Structure formats: C-alpha cells, structure tokens
Amino acid sequence: TIGGEIATNANGPLRFSYGPVRDLVLGMTVVTPTGDIVHTGGKTMKNVAGIDLCKMYIGSWGTLGIITEAVLRLFPLPEVSKSLHLTFTSYEDAFRMVAQLLNSTLTPSTIELLDQVAGNLSGNALASHLAEDEVILMVDVEGDSESIVRQEKEINTLAEANKARTMVAFDGEEATRARCAYRGIHRSILEAGPSTVQGKASVPISKLGNMFEAIKEISDR
C-alpha cells in the first residue's frame, strides 16, 4: 500500500504542512522489470550525491519498477488538532480569506474548499447543507493547546472580516469523522452520478479562484 502511494505520488490534504510525497521519502528499494534490485537514497535527510533516483521512481506508476521497501520521514503527532469549517456565500470571499491566511503568521495544517455539490454529498458529518453558490473552507490547525486557542481566535476574526456566514469547530472524534467524510466525497460523487468525470488540475495558488470559476462554468454547460 505504501509503495502504491509513492508510485502514484498520492498527496493528501496534509501536504500543505508536511510537504508532498517527494519530500517524505528518504530512500527506497526497487525491483526493476529485468529483476535487478536497486537501492537508492538512505536513512538520513542528507544522503544524495549525484542523481536523486528516489524522485525518479516517485510518481512513475510502476513503469520503472516495483517499490518493495521505503524509508520515510516521520513527524510527532500534534498535542491537539482542530478542524474549522467556514461557510461563505461566495467563493470570492473564501479565496480572499485563503490569500490572507497564506500571508499571515498562522500555520494551518490543511486548507480545503468544498462547493455545494461536494458539501451536500458529505452528509451530516460536515454540517454542510449548502445553498447555491455557497462553499465551505476547511481549515485544520495543529499544535499545543495554547497555540490552537490563539489560531482559532485569529481565524475567526479573519472569517468575520471576509463575510463568513458560519464557523463550526470540530475536535476529537468529531474532527476525525469530518476528515473521513471529506476523504469519502469523491466516492460519494461517483455513486451519485456514475458518469461523473473526475480529474486533477495544478495551478498556482493565486489562480485557484480563476480555476474554480472556469470549472463551474464548464459544469453549468
């Protein structure tokens, strides 16, 4: 399973704070199509001299070999984690807040956006019954108790300044259920409409609002 995650370069929401798969793999063992065994990288952060072969195998979808072992960078679990769900009546307000978050001293672990379709298919776990054109901005924060209180207060202030309609905070088991519901949204969309086309698009953060608007126009047509 871990080899599949690496081979497909499958990044999740936490890449925002912990980095993408390419930054988390220190070394690996690969079996090539000819049966040769290749060891690349190592067990420390500074281990590359010359070509970084780990980067070549990450995201190669198994075309260059099968990953049989991997050395991964680990992080301690945070003392406290909280998931803040901000509802906006327009995506422009939401993206304006994202820009302000990124330019602030705050350190959210994830920032994700749900539109009306995704939010309403997530069910009660996200408290996300959205009206037309409404969106939810999911902002997760991690750290010690004092840091979480400060960050939640500052994010709440930013949300009010950007016309957020509501802010719901989840922690503990509620936060875990909310994250699981978010991870299941893609499957829920496919079950609701088997002919749905899903894909991934990469754009600069400053252009996310433009991409969201373009996708909305395409889906309306």
Side-chain angles (χ1 to χ4, degrees):
T1 301
I2 293 175
E5 294 280 330
I6 296 170
T8 56
N9 194 25
N11 298 292
L14 285 171
R15 68 191 178 281
F16 183 79
S17 55
Y18 294 99
V21 172
R22 294 178 187 277
D23 293 342
L24 304 179
V25 178
L26 303 180
M28 65 174 69
T29 300
V30 179
V31 178
T32 70
T34 59
D36 296 315
I37 298 177
V38 177
H39 302 280
T40 178
K43 294 185 178 181
T44 60
M45 292 297 295
K46 300 288 186 180
N47 58 41
V48 176
I51 300 173
D52 186 353
L53 294 179
C54 282
K55 297 289 196 298
M56 183 176 69
Y57 288 112
I58 296 170
S60 65
W61 287 78
T63 57
L64 303 177
I66 302 300
I67 299 169
T68 58
E69 293 182 0
V71 180
L72 305 177
R73 184 181 176 193
L74 300 180
F75 297 85
L77 289 171
E79 179 185 328
V80 182
S81 62
K82 211 161 196 178
S83 186
L84 310 176
H85 294 191
L86 317 173
T87 303
F88 294 87
T89 55
S90 75
Y91 71 87
E92 290 94 346
D93 293 337
F95 281 116
R96 185 170 58 252
M97 177 163 176
V98 170
Q100 293 174 2
L101 277 173
L102 297 177
N103 290 320
S104 72
T105 58
L106 296 168
T107 56
S109 55
T110 69
I111 302 177
E112 297 289 317
L113 186 82
L114 288 90
D115 64 3
Q116 180 192 15
V117 174
N120 290 342
L121 282 173
S122 67
N124 295 324
L126 299 181
S128 53
H129 300 289
L130 301 177
E132 187 175 358
D133 292 332
E134 285 190 333
V135 297
I136 288 180
L137 195 64
M138 298 172 56
V139 182
D140 287 7
V141 289
E142 299 178 344
D144 56 48
S145 301
E146 184 178 343
S147 169
I148 294 300
V149 170
R150 178 183 60 82
Q151 293 204 68
E152 183 178 0
K153 182 179 179 180
E154 293 187 25
I155 290 172
N156 192 17
T157 300
L158 278 177
E160 290 178 355
N162 287 286
K163 305 175 185 177
R165 180 170 63 81
T166 61
M167 185 175 100
V168 181
F170 298 95
D171 56 12
E173 292 184 3
E174 282 188 337
T176 300
R177 283 197 298 270
R179 293 187 187 104
C180 288
Y182 173 75
R183 285 196 292 268
I185 284 176
H186 291 286
R187 183 177 298 276
S188 298
I189 291 174
L190 285 174
E191 289 174 353
S195 61
T196 298
V197 175
Q198 293 196 22
K200 294 177 70 175
S202 298
V203 299
I205 291 177
S206 61
K207 299 296 183 183
L208 282 173
N210 302 91
M211 184 187 74
F212 187 85
E213 184 177 4
I215 292 173
K216 188 175 185 304
E217 290 176 356
I218 293 169
S219 66
D220 289 342
R221 290 202 304 270

